[in-house]
Amino acid sequence: IEHTFTHTYASASQYTAYFSSCCRISTLAVGNDTNFYVSADIDLTGGNTGGPTTLAPPLMQIPQGAFSYTFPVSDPDGDSATCSLVTNGSDVPSPPSGLAVSSSCELTFNGSSFSAGAKYAYQVELTESGSSSTTIFDGMLQIVNGNLPTCSGSGNFTLSPGQAFSTSFIGSDVDGGSLSATLINGPSGSYISP
């Protein structure tokens, strides 16, 4: 489930926006049925217009083997950001053993010793360079049998406002499964055609 909240702050200052609720899903291997809390510390001083964000998928299916993923991070002011795995706090899930997130926002994990179908919640903190703005991303990993589909032609693209964009990509599944494509968080008017 995705929610978008909009708020206009009265002045250039530092604020904390958060969302807390119950409960995490019952099928998590660790931290099931517990509260969750996500937040963003927003520093609007010095001309900042917001903090770092990511369009990482909230659920990543990963193979029973070595896996890596680099979080796509952006900032409305064009500032760089670093990442770290959140491991402490009353509403922070215990990540699976061996899960790591580097300061360059690369998640690494080896799911070899985990059962297929197991789901784990985790949180990553995105920190904007040069300010005190941070954002907490709350995600879930699901261990799967077999190989993951691959996609060529995808990537990160930077566009100017109003610039038209199209790209082609090819998906394949070495296990022979059928594939479908879904657009997630696309801008208004965007679409995928087969």
Side-chain angles (χ1 to χ4, degrees):
I1 297 176
E2 179 181 317
H3 296 283
T4 301
F5 299 94
T6 303
H7 180 77
T8 302
Y9 292 98
S11 63
S13 188
Q14 295 180 350
Y15 302 94
T16 298
Y18 69 92
F19 176 79
S20 178
S21 185
C22 181
C23 292
R24 292 189 182 278
I25 63 172
S26 297
T27 55
L28 286 175
V30 176
N32 57 316
D33 298 325
T34 59
N35 292 337
F36 64 93
Y37 176 90
V38 292
S39 67
D41 291 329
I42 304 160
D43 181 354
L44 297 178
T45 62
N48 284 329
T49 60
T53 62
T54 183
L55 291 177
L59 171 63
M60 282 194 268
Q61 293 183 317
I62 63 173
Q64 285 182 303
F67 176 79
S68 69
Y69 173 79
T70 301
F71 285 88
V73 177
S74 63
D75 178 79
D77 305 306
D79 296 324
S80 62
T82 59
C83 295
S84 61
L85 185 65
V86 180
T87 57
N88 58 7
S90 61
D91 292 326
V92 175
S94 296
S97 174
L99 178 67
V101 176
S102 71
S103 61
S104 60
C105 304
E106 182 181 24
L107 177 147
T108 56
F109 182 65
N110 189 327
S112 299
S113 61
F114 294 85
S115 300
K119 296 175 187 157
Y120 296 89
Y122 70 99
Q123 290 185 332
V124 173
E125 181 176 69
L126 316 171
T127 303
E128 179 182 356
S129 301
S131 83
S132 60
S133 292
T134 63
T135 303
I136 302 295
F137 171 80
D138 193 86
M140 189 170 29
L141 302 175
Q142 181 180 22
I143 314 300
V144 296
N145 273 327
N147 298 295
L148 296 176
T150 59
C151 183
S152 62
S154 62
N156 295 322
F157 304 97
T158 303
L159 305 172
S160 300
Q163 180 181 351
F165 173 76
S166 81
T167 187
S168 297
F169 56 90
I170 298 172
S172 61
D173 183 4
V174 296
D175 296 330
S178 63
L179 298 176
S180 63
T182 303
L183 178 65
I184 299 172
N185 292 330
S188 177
S190 61
Y191 60 93
I192 292 179
S193 62

